[in-house]
Amino acid sequence: MEEVLALVEARLRTALGEPDARAAVTFLGTDRIEVLRFTEADVVRYATLGMSAQPMADPTAVLADPVKGPRAELVLTVRAGLADTDKALRPLAVLAASPQVEGVVVAPGASLDVGEPLWPGAPFSSVLVAESGGLVEDLELDAPRDPVRFLPLLPMTPNEAAWKRVHGAQALQERWLNAGTDLRDPLRRSVTLD
């Protein structure tokens, strides 16, 4: 576990530079989750560290495989200085602990909801999990372990989350793209939905 997390942190540092802050959260019955903050010009990135320590298990499986199974960390990118986004650390840790706490497998296309604003005044309480491989490359581990995927989180307004449940993740992403939506804007309004 420690070896995996050391490799994950090294990959994050290679891709995003040195973190300028870090916070740790431990929930009852779970491993420690850290959230690292990386600041670069006008953007702030928050990356979880600890979610990938254990593979995510299918909630219907009788026994969880301690070696095989998907592994991931979460990455949120927002524009700096527009909102108090550092308060997102705890909600991000909650999302990263969800595989251990709720037995969910976090994968691209999934919606994750924290039930409260991601930060004070945020118009978002949920996120869409996007495909890995862009900003931070997947981290290959020795077989038979699955690679660690660094999954971007795209904040969704309640209307967008409801629309996504009906029309799907791909349709929502196309709607954002067609509208030229700045998904890094921590104060953005919902995209027009019909």
Side-chain angles (χ1 to χ4, degrees):
M1 180 173 108
E2 298 300 324
E3 170 207 353
V4 169
L5 294 183
L7 292 170
V8 167
E9 185 167 355
R11 174 61 52 94
L12 286 168
R13 288 172 184 265
T14 300
L16 305 176
E18 287 299 311
D20 60 359
R22 65 193 309 147
V25 180
T26 304
F27 302 100
L28 185 63
T30 67
D31 295 325
R32 169 186 166 121
I33 302 286
E34 288 188 87
V35 180
L36 310 181
R37 183 182 71 190
F38 301 86
T39 305
E40 176 190 327
D42 67 337
V43 298
V44 180
R45 292 188 173 91
Y46 301 94
T48 63
L49 179 62
M51 182 177 168
S52 62
Q54 304 294 331
M56 292 180 273
D58 180 342
T60 62
V62 177
L63 286 174
D65 190 317
V67 178
K68 291 183 183 177
R71 294 174 190 255
E73 295 292 352
L74 307 174
V75 180
L76 172 68
T77 304
V78 292
R79 298 229 174 272
L82 301 176
D84 188 8
T85 56
D86 281 351
K87 297 286 197 276
L89 299 179
R90 184 167 176 75
L92 285 173
V94 167
L95 296 177
S98 62
Q100 291 181 55
V101 174
E102 299 171 23
V104 298
V105 175
V106 177
S111 298
L112 303 175
D113 195 318
V114 294
E116 61 184 35
L118 291 173
W119 52 82
F124 321 104
S125 62
S126 63
V127 294
L128 174 64
V129 181
E131 291 287 340
S132 67
L135 185 62
V136 183
E137 286 184 37
D138 295 346
L139 173 65
E140 296 295 329
L141 299 175
D142 293 337
R145 296 183 294 183
D146 288 20
V148 176
R149 305 201 183 287
F150 297 89
L151 302 171
L153 300 180
L154 309 175
M156 293 187 292
T157 66
N159 285 346
E160 290 169 340
W163 197 86
K164 182 254 176 195
R165 280 192 294 277
V166 173
H167 299 281
Q170 184 65 38
L172 178 59
Q173 289 179 304
E174 287 173 12
R175 184 63 57 110
W176 282 334
L177 185 63
N178 292 338
T181 306
D182 181 2
L183 296 173
R184 294 177 175 183
D185 181 353
L187 302 173
R188 75 170 178 84
R189 296 186 185 279
S190 181
V191 70
T192 302
L193 303 168
D194 48 28

